Amino acid sequence: MNASAAHLLGMGLRHANLPATQDWLDRLAAVRSACTGSGADHALPLHNLPPLPAEQRLPVSAGDLGQFGIPPIYRASIHRIQIHLLELAQEALQQAERAGVKLEREHCDVILVTALGLNRSHENEARAAALRWAAAGWRDHPDARALLELWRQDLEQGFTASSHDKVGEMASALAARVAAHFQLRGRVLALEARAEGGRAALAAALNCLSHGGSRQVLILGAQTLDSPLHERPDLTDTSTPELPTWRESACALLLGDVSAAHAGQMMLQLPPATPVCPRPAATVAAGPVVHIEGQVLPVQTVLGYGHAMQDLQALALAALAQAQAQAQAQAQTAGAGASRSPAVHAELGPQARLVLQAAGQPLPEQAGSETGPVAVVGCGSAFGDTRGNAEFWAALSQPGHRFRPLDPARHHCDPFLDPQARHSLAYYIEQASHAGLEPAVHPHAASMHLARSVASEAWSAVAGLAPERLGRLQVICASNLTTPALRSAGAQALLPRVLERLDALGRLQGWNEALRQSLAHALHNQAQAERLPSAEDQGLATASGLGRAVVGDLPAQVLALEAACASSMAALDLAGLALRAGQVDTVLVLGVELPVNSSDLLLCAAQRMLAPGLMASFGIDASGFTPGDGAGAVLLMRKPQAEALGLPVLAQLLAFGASTDSKSMIAPNQAGQTQAMRRAFAALTTQGIGPSALQYVETHGTGTLIGDQVETASLAEVYAGATQGLALGALKSKFGHCFAAAGMASLIKTVLALAHERMPANHFERPLKPELEWPRLGLDPLFTERPWPRNPQQRRRAGINAFGTGGINYHLVLEEA
């Protein structure tokens, strides 16, 4: 395949020891000076390098979130990196505008790269875990109830929480706030691939520009030390006996379509990398390097260890070096005609070379776009208490719902369940669509357990093929990037602080030393009992680790992403782009999240997101959602490849439409939803496929007060004149809201409906809201099952909605094979 390319339009850089871009330039000049005389293509002599200061953390920004329009109600829940990202985005965008670049706000994506979790997640988990540990450890104490109430009150003061912490825990919210302030209305997502996150983001951005309809992409990078996991070599891709010195850093890089001329800007190329698994230890230890005029600059040596930021740091250093070389060449040839500066390149890993050159140089040959559909060749499911596609379909076909009473042991009903929700450490629902896992499955390894199960079922579709016949493999996992295992590790790291608070509370209350020690000992023992017992499970605790776990030793590109409740759709979109770009040949897409756990229940309850009763999508008493555990997997290929391999095609993904537009972080916006739908159909204009060609739409249908009304209005607007008899599915009213896995549940339901040639009936506990006016709009609520047989005169097609916090909107159009 040919190289992908983009213009580098603007850049904002920040580092623990280099707070501004000029400081990066000064550091680069000092390093290159120290490297002088080392010989061509020789590594930097370390003894000549000026040392970095000892500080590892980013300096506190002098700016204020208010200047970026963030309401006070959100500020307590926002990660400290947010202000840096806003300021850096502003710097990159303004730099581009000063150079004469027109910002394509309607078609500008925002991709955030980060790893190892966010600080609010660890704080919130420690607060909940401290009460959970105490409840279990003190249960036999005669004054247990009174002691727990005192401890609860102390934790609420010592681990201050915000009612919007559930939004604050989402990495995509960091990117969505940047998009909202600067009115960037393309895709928004957060991405994690451990130390290779920057490379994965660059590849995704270039695919969005060359094949995804984007005009510009703003890549945001951030790696902080808030997670205690930076000290874990198994999670930080570090094979050296001594851990490297971490340095926090952040950046904003604005990339543009090469089809547009941008005077004075640089161009970068990223040829496709051959999948590697695992990354060779020697490469990990060395990290990326930048080559400039015969000098080799190791990024770790220049900037310290940046983990997820390393590849983006390499791009930044290469861009600065290229700019310096270009300026020097122009100065040397002043008055002698046009100068031609040398190309600079960075080695990001095995067979992954990033090349920069001055704008105006000949463009590289671009890869041709694969316009054919993406084929679904296999799928696997585990939603609620069902296991496998057969059980999932049987449940969809039967009347009733899959909500069940919570498990007191797994969901910690005793310390947390309070139907009146009289304090912040309480949730008020008693039923959910939970996985019902065996006690032997550790709660923090449950996501991995289900991921392996659904991946195995999806893989069974190609069981008879040798792995090499599948070609280059990619695995994309849609999930919360701060997984339960990561949250647990954060809480364990905060255990000393928890015990200090407990001791201080005991002294304040006048407890004697024996009681203080006894309570602390019991709490400590319970905390130790919650640790993941398996070293393997701990090593795969990241979201991308879930993807790595399901492919074992197979060579594969592995990444994870989060786009709130639209995560699965975002993952499917990126998978389709990678296939159409010819970067990979087979993609396994996972959607995995188990939100029926005490931590998520507490956070959702604090924001009053949960339905007091059961979820009632589009119903008269819809007032929130009921969560549901879920995992799903689909195996994707280009359709010609699947047919050449003799594989049955279950369905075809025709087009995705994406937009980001909201009235607030939690309030949906009709304009943004309709924009996503229209963009999907715009991609199908040449095929003559419009809204009237669809017979079915699986809705997002979260059952919130305004969400259902806005979605109905959006559907009516886009499908106006084409809605007579359009059937609407409402999966969440039966299986609950699976968060990141919700879109995967919708896709697999639709694929199974095509296979069984019928649309299953929806479950509605109560009548529909009359103000939605579905009958007048020609929308069929599927009160009863509806046949959906094959018809030679009409292809069966469907749409799927997925809408996420922050106004992240997706619409997928698919059809029968």
Side-chain angles (χ1 to χ4, degrees):
M1 177 202 138
N2 298 317
S4 296
H7 283 113
L8 179 59
L9 307 177
M11 184 165 60
L13 305 173
R14 198 161 291 179
H15 183 278
N17 312 122
L18 311 170
T21 302
Q22 183 59 49
D23 299 308
W24 287 58
L25 283 165
D26 294 342
R27 175 69 173 173
L28 179 62
V31 169
R32 293 195 64 195
S33 175
C35 193
T36 300
S38 61
D41 291 327
H42 282 73
L44 178 70
L46 301 183
H47 61 276
N48 288 337
L49 180 64
L52 286 167
E55 180 57 48
Q56 292 181 268
R57 291 184 175 267
L58 284 165
V60 177
S61 170
D64 178 71
L65 289 170
Q67 73 188 82
F68 294 101
I70 296 178
I73 193 171
Y74 290 124
R75 295 179 195 171
S77 66
I78 290 178
H79 193 285
R80 65 184 177 87
I81 200 68
Q82 181 73 82
I83 185 66
H84 291 287
L85 295 177
L86 286 160
E87 291 172 340
L88 290 168
Q90 185 174 58
E91 183 178 341
L93 295 170
Q94 289 178 347
Q95 183 183 116
E97 287 185 304
R98 286 195 298 269
V101 175
K102 177 185 176 182
L103 297 182
E104 302 282 355
R105 298 182 190 275
E106 290 295 324
H107 301 280
C108 183
D109 301 339
V110 182
I111 299 176
L112 169 70
V113 181
T114 188
L116 300 182
L118 303 180
N119 60 337
R120 287 308 298 170
S121 301
H122 304 308
E123 284 263 333
N124 289 329
E125 182 68 20
R127 185 171 61 106
L131 186 60
R132 193 169 66 233
W133 297 332
W138 304 350
R139 67 165 60 95
D140 295 329
H141 194 282
D143 297 323
R145 186 168 297 277
L147 291 170
L148 281 174
E149 184 55 36
L150 286 170
W151 183 223
R152 184 198 307 276
Q153 294 172 10
D154 188 80
L155 289 171
E156 289 176 341
Q157 297 172 3
F159 288 83
T160 305
S162 162
S163 63
H164 287 72
D165 274 352
K166 182 56 189 170
V167 175
E169 284 199 351
M170 297 180 186
S172 65
L174 297 171
R177 288 191 179 94
V178 172
H181 180 74
F182 296 105
Q183 300 179 339
L184 311 178
R185 298 190 178 93
R187 299 171 179 84
V188 164
L189 58 93
L191 186 151
E192 180 265 309
R194 304 215 315 199
E196 297 178 357
R199 188 191 320 174
L202 286 168
L206 293 174
N207 288 343
C208 290
L209 290 168
S210 58
H211 304 289
S214 304
R215 307 283 176 76
Q216 293 166 351
V217 179
L218 180 66
I219 296 179
L220 304 174
Q223 184 62 68
T224 69
L225 299 181
D226 295 298
S227 171
L229 302 181
H230 71 272
E231 298 178 351
R232 290 267 299 274
D234 55 334
L235 294 177
T236 55
D237 301 306
T238 305
S239 61
T240 54
E242 295 184 4
L243 289 171
T245 301
W246 283 66
R247 308 284 174 167
E248 291 189 344
S249 63
C251 72
L253 306 167
L254 182 64
L255 307 184
D257 184 358
V258 292
S259 65
H262 299 294
Q265 304 302 303
M266 281 174 250
M267 186 177 66
L268 61 91
Q269 308 166 45
L270 181 67
T274 299
V276 292
C277 169
R279 191 173 176 183
T283 303
V284 173
V289 296
V290 177
H291 296 256
I292 173 68
E293 297 179 316
Q295 295 178 330
V296 182
L297 311 182
V299 174
Q300 282 189 35
T301 302
V302 178
L303 298 174
Y305 185 64
H307 194 50
M309 277 289 295
Q310 287 208 124
D311 290 339
L312 299 181
Q313 289 175 339
L315 168 57
L317 289 175
L320 294 173
Q322 203 279 339
Q324 287 180 336
Q326 182 178 346
Q328 184 178 10
Q330 289 175 340
Q332 291 174 348
T333 59
S339 63
R340 193 175 177 86
S341 62
V344 177
H345 73 271
E347 301 291 345
L348 304 183
Q351 303 181 45
R353 169 187 261 212
L354 179 70
V355 180
L356 282 92
Q357 65 184 52
Q361 302 283 333
L363 292 175
E365 183 182 356
Q366 293 295 288
S369 177
E370 296 278 353
T371 57
V374 172
V376 179
V377 298
C379 59
S381 57
F383 297 100
D385 60 342
T386 67
R387 295 295 180 271
N389 296 326
E391 283 191 23
F392 184 40
W393 178 252
L396 289 168
S397 303
Q398 296 166 358
H401 57 72
R402 306 301 288 195
F403 301 116
R404 301 177 298 133
L406 297 175
D407 181 341
R410 279 192 174 268
H411 305 127
H412 311 287
C413 300
D414 185 40
F416 297 126
L417 177 58
D418 178 6
Q420 283 73 49
R422 288 166 291 196
H423 43 74
S424 63
L425 275 172
Y427 60 78
Y428 49 84
I429 66 170
E430 300 182 60
Q431 295 187 73
S433 178
H434 59 87
L437 294 165
E438 296 294 325
V441 179
H442 193 285
H444 299 137
S447 296
M448 188 182 302
H449 177 81
L450 290 187
R452 283 174 164 149
S453 172
V454 298
S456 177
E457 186 175 20
W459 262 142
S460 67
V462 294
L465 295 176
E468 56 269 20
R469 297 196 65 193
L470 300 178
R472 295 159 298 176
L473 174 64
Q474 183 179 60
V475 181
I476 305 179
C477 180
S479 186
N480 188 329
L481 298 189
T482 309
T483 65
L486 289 181
R487 292 193 306 202
S488 174
Q492 295 283 350
L494 292 171
L495 180 57
R497 178 177 159 187
V498 169
L499 293 174
E500 288 176 5
R501 287 209 64 85
L502 179 59
D503 185 69
L505 173 64
R507 294 179 185 277
L508 181 65
Q509 294 294 325
W511 300 342
N512 60 44
E513 184 175 354
L515 176 59
R516 295 200 309 272
Q517 290 185 357
S518 173
L519 296 178
H521 183 70
L523 186 148
H524 181 273
N525 286 347
Q526 287 298 321
Q528 296 302 308
E530 274 198 10
R531 288 180 179 273
L532 278 166
S534 165
E536 177 194 13
D537 288 343
Q538 292 181 38
L540 297 172
T542 61
S544 63
L546 295 176
R548 174 58 60 204
V550 303
V551 292
D553 294 332
L554 285 178
Q557 301 172 10
V558 179
L559 62 139
L561 67 79
E562 183 258 298
C565 305
S567 297
S568 288
M569 284 297 116
L572 291 162
D573 182 29
L574 288 195
L577 291 176
L579 286 167
R580 289 189 170 106
Q583 286 187 344
V584 295
D585 303 302
T586 303
V587 186
L588 179 67
V589 182
L590 296 164
V592 183
E593 190 156 4
L594 281 66
V596 190
N597 61 77
S598 56
S599 297
D600 279 318
L601 291 175
L602 291 172
L603 292 173
C604 291
Q607 206 161 341
R608 309 302 294 185
M609 295 178 175
L610 304 177
L614 288 181
M615 188 169 189
S617 299
F618 305 105
I620 58 173
D621 53 357
S623 57
F625 62 78
T626 303
D629 291 336
V634 293
L635 198 62
L636 305 178
M637 294 180 179
R638 292 180 290 276
K639 189 180 180 184
Q641 178 197 1
E643 292 173 337
L645 293 172
L647 299 174
V649 177
L650 305 179
Q652 303 176 138
L653 309 185
L654 297 184
F656 288 87
S659 74
T660 302
D661 195 0
S662 67
K663 292 184 178 179
S664 75
M665 287 300 293
I666 57 175
N669 185 10
Q670 183 178 337
Q673 293 182 5
T674 57
Q675 182 72 284
M677 297 180 202
R678 285 176 172 145
R679 285 176 177 172
F681 288 113
L684 297 172
T685 301
T686 58
Q687 300 179 47
I689 298 175
S692 61
L694 276 64
Q695 303 91 41
Y696 176 81
V697 172
E698 181 63 39
T699 65
H700 190 59
T702 54
T704 57
L705 290 172
I706 63 172
D708 293 347
Q709 187 167 349
V710 170
E711 183 172 12
T712 296
S714 301
L715 287 166
E717 181 179 342
V718 173
Y719 288 84
T723 58
Q724 198 60 41
L726 180 70
L728 299 187
L731 175 66
K732 293 181 179 67
S733 64
K734 199 177 189 80
F735 276 89
H737 192 351
C738 302
F739 293 17
M744 188 62 70
S746 296
L747 172 61
I748 294 175
K749 173 189 173 180
T750 308
V751 169
L752 295 176
L754 288 168
H756 290 274
E757 300 189 23
R758 64 183 194 267
M759 304 172 191
N762 292 317
H763 171 75
F764 295 115
E765 289 270 323
R766 301 288 302 280
L768 298 183
K769 288 180 180 177
E771 58 266 34
L772 297 180
E773 298 185 306
W774 281 18
R776 182 184 67 80
L777 296 170
L779 301 174
D780 180 357
L782 287 175
F783 289 124
T784 59
E785 179 185 281
R786 176 170 158 181
W788 201 12
R790 292 182 179 273
N791 182 348
Q793 308 303 318
Q794 184 184 45
R795 301 284 290 171
R796 295 177 300 160
R797 298 188 181 95
I800 297 175
N801 279 342
F803 306 137
T805 299
I808 304 173
N809 306 302
Y810 272 86
H811 190 64
L812 163 64
V813 178
L814 71 154
E815 73 173 14
E816 64 184 335

